[in-house]
Amino acid sequence: MRPPITVRPATAADIPACIGVLAAAFHDDPALSWLYRDAARRPDQLKRFFRLICTADADPAHWRIALDDAGQPVAVALWRPPGRWQIPMSGMVRRLPAVFAAFGTLLPRALGMQGLMDANHARDPHWYLQFVGCAPAAQGKGYGGAVIRAMLAEIAGQPAYLETATESNVGLYQALGFAVTKTYAV
């Protein structure tokens, strides 16, 4: 029998591992593949993208990571607390070099996608599951669900919200208590 999955809050020291897990997990994500169309360049682009996300007004104390049997992070859920679902413009302005490193000439496309997401985002106070990802070798073993369930247990009964571009993930999110409230296309 497999031991229980260890899930804990992330720390600043976990940020590099979180970036690596998310970059690997999102390689074939439909939305990020639309943004970063060159599959050969996408791994490096995703690392720069998630470095920006994980350092721009982020609080790893709200993140949850799952550890494999060797104690290595294999899944991460980046949560943002109620009232803080958007990364403040000041956080992005302070990181303009990182913004340009992450997007370069794709910045207009990225801003368009972000604008569409913002326009469709829930407005009621909620915990926002900004990103959740699992290292490809650990997928299908319960790690992703574990990082989501851990925070849902902590926020018990408070509203939570996420977006997904991966249709095959909808069933997992529904099994965890989420419901489809809106659909839109990029």
Side-chain angles (χ1 to χ4, degrees), residues 39-72:
R41 295 180 53 214
R42 194 175 305 135
D44 288 334
Q45 291 170 314
L46 288 171
K47 285 178 188 167
R48 289 190 298 271
F49 172 77
F50 282 110
R51 186 172 301 114
L52 174 65
I53 296 299
C54 289
T55 60
D57 187 52
D59 184 354
H62 297 301
W63 306 351
R64 295 297 171 266
I65 60 174
L67 307 176
D68 65 11
D69 296 337
Q72 297 302 306

Side-chain angles (χ1 to χ4, degrees), residues 107-123:
L107 186 58
R109 179 188 293 255
L111 291 173
M113 184 167 65
Q114 186 62 48
L116 182 62
M117 291 174 65
D118 288 352
N120 285 281
H121 197 98
R123 296 297 188 236

Side-chain angles (χ1 to χ4, degrees), residues 8-35:
R8 65 170 173 77
T11 67
D14 294 314
I15 290 175
C18 291
I19 292 166
V21 167
L22 290 168
F26 277 83
H27 185 271
D28 295 322
D29 175 77
L32 290 175
S33 294
W34 175 83
L35 179 62

Side-chain angles (χ1 to χ4, degrees), residues 57 80-88 121 123-128:
D57 187 52
R80 297 181 65 82
R84 293 192 42 217
W85 62 270
Q86 289 180 302
I87 296 174
H121 197 98
R123 296 297 188 236
D124 296 335
H126 60 275
W127 281 88
Y128 177 40

Side-chain angles (χ1 to χ4, degrees), residues 84 143 149:
R84 293 192 42 217
Y143 293 107
R149 279 191 302 279

